[in-house]
Amino acid sequence: MKNILLIQRKKIKFYFIRNIIRGSKKLNTLKGRSFTTSLIDQLNNNLVIKKTHLLNKLYFNKLSSSSDIIITQFLSETLLGLMFKRVLFFCISKEIAFIYPLPKNWIIIIEQNGINCNKFLCINLYLILSFIFGIIGYIKLQFNFIIFIKCSIKNYSSKKFIYLLNLNNEKQFPKNNENSYNVFNW
C-alpha cells in the first residue's frame, strides 16, 4: 500500500511539473522570455495601498509616506516568488483562469498583460492570507509581550553588571602582576 501511494504521489508531481514546463514554453513563444520578470517588476512598482488608513497611522505613525512601500515590499517578497511563476505557467498550459492570492491592483495589471484572472477567488484568497498574517502577527506580539513581562518581573536592573572591553591590550594590565587574573585589584 505504501508503494502505491508513493507511485501516485510521483505521478501527480510529474503531472504538475510537465504542465509547468509546457506553460513556460507556451508563454515564452507567445510573449517572450522576459515576460514573467517584466510582469513581476510591474507588480512591484505598483503600490498595493494608496490611501492613508487608520492602521497605517497606527503602525507607521512617523513613516506614513513609506508605509505603502513597506507593505508592497513585504507582499511582493512573500507572494511573488517561485510559486507565483509555477501557478502562472500551470494555468497557461491548462488554459484556465489564473488563481493566486493577489490584491486587486495587481489583478488589474495581470489582466492588462493579457492573462485571464479569476478576480473573485484571487481577492478571497488574498483576504484569507491577510487574515492569517494578522493572526500570526498578533500571536508573535503576545509572545513578545509575555517575554517582556517575564524579564521585568525578574528585575534585571537590581543586579549590577560590569562590562570590560578590550582587556587584551598590554597598556591596560600592570606589568608587576602578570600571573594574577584579578583585574579589579590591579
Side-chain angles (χ1 to χ4, degrees):
M1 185 70 170
K2 187 176 179 182
N3 291 334
I4 293 171
L5 292 175
L6 185 65
I7 291 170
Q8 289 297 325
R9 185 184 303 167
K10 286 183 180 181
K11 284 183 180 180
I12 292 171
K13 187 177 180 181
F14 182 73
Y15 169 77
F16 283 114
I17 291 173
R18 184 179 63 214
N19 283 317
I20 288 169
I21 292 170
R22 285 180 183 169
S24 68
K25 287 180 181 178
K26 187 175 183 180
L27 190 65
N28 286 341
T29 57
L30 291 176
K31 303 211 179 204
R33 285 187 169 262
S34 64
F35 174 74
T36 55
T37 55
S38 66
L39 179 65
I40 291 174
D41 288 341
Q42 287 177 5
L43 295 176
N44 284 333
N45 292 334
N46 190 6
L47 296 176
V48 176
I49 300 172
K50 295 181 181 178
K51 301 176 186 175
T52 56
H53 294 287
L54 178 65
L55 291 175
N56 282 352
K57 291 179 182 177
L58 180 67
Y59 289 118
F60 304 105
N61 188 15
K62 296 180 181 176
L63 301 171
S64 63
S65 62
S66 62
S67 66
D68 302 336
I69 298 170
I70 293 170
I71 293 170
T72 303
Q73 285 178 351
F74 173 75
L75 287 176
S76 65
E77 185 177 315
T78 55
L79 295 178
L80 299 178
L82 183 62
M83 190 56 72
F84 174 78
K85 291 180 182 179
R86 287 180 180 174
V87 172
L88 179 68
F89 294 151
F90 182 80
C91 291
I92 288 174
S93 73
K94 287 298 190 181
E95 296 178 358
I96 57 175
F98 181 65
I99 301 171
Y100 195 74
L102 294 173
K104 188 176 181 181
N105 299 345
W106 289 0
I107 294 170
I108 293 170
I109 292 174
I110 290 174
E111 286 184 338
Q112 287 174 353
N113 285 314
I115 296 172
N116 187 16
C117 247
N118 189 343
K119 289 182 184 179
F120 178 74
L121 287 177
C122 288
I123 292 173
N124 284 335
L125 286 174
Y126 173 69
L127 293 175
I128 291 170
L129 191 67
S130 299
F131 179 73
I132 291 170
F133 284 156
I135 294 294
I136 290 171
Y138 180 75
I139 290 170
K140 286 183 179 180
L141 181 69
Q142 296 302 319
F143 183 70
N144 289 339
F145 183 70
I146 289 170
I147 290 174
F148 174 72
I149 296 294
K150 191 165 130 180
C151 290
S152 65
I153 289 173
K154 287 184 179 179
N155 199 3
Y156 285 118
S157 63
S158 65
K159 297 178 183 177
K160 295 181 180 179
F161 295 102
I162 297 175
Y163 297 99
L164 302 171
L165 301 173
N166 297 326
L167 288 179
N168 55 1
N169 196 355
E170 292 181 8
K171 295 176 183 176
Q172 294 173 352
F173 292 106
K175 298 200 179 202
N176 55 2
N177 292 331
E178 290 180 2
N179 295 330
S180 174
Y181 292 105
N182 191 356
V183 177
F184 299 105
N185 288 339
W186 285 343

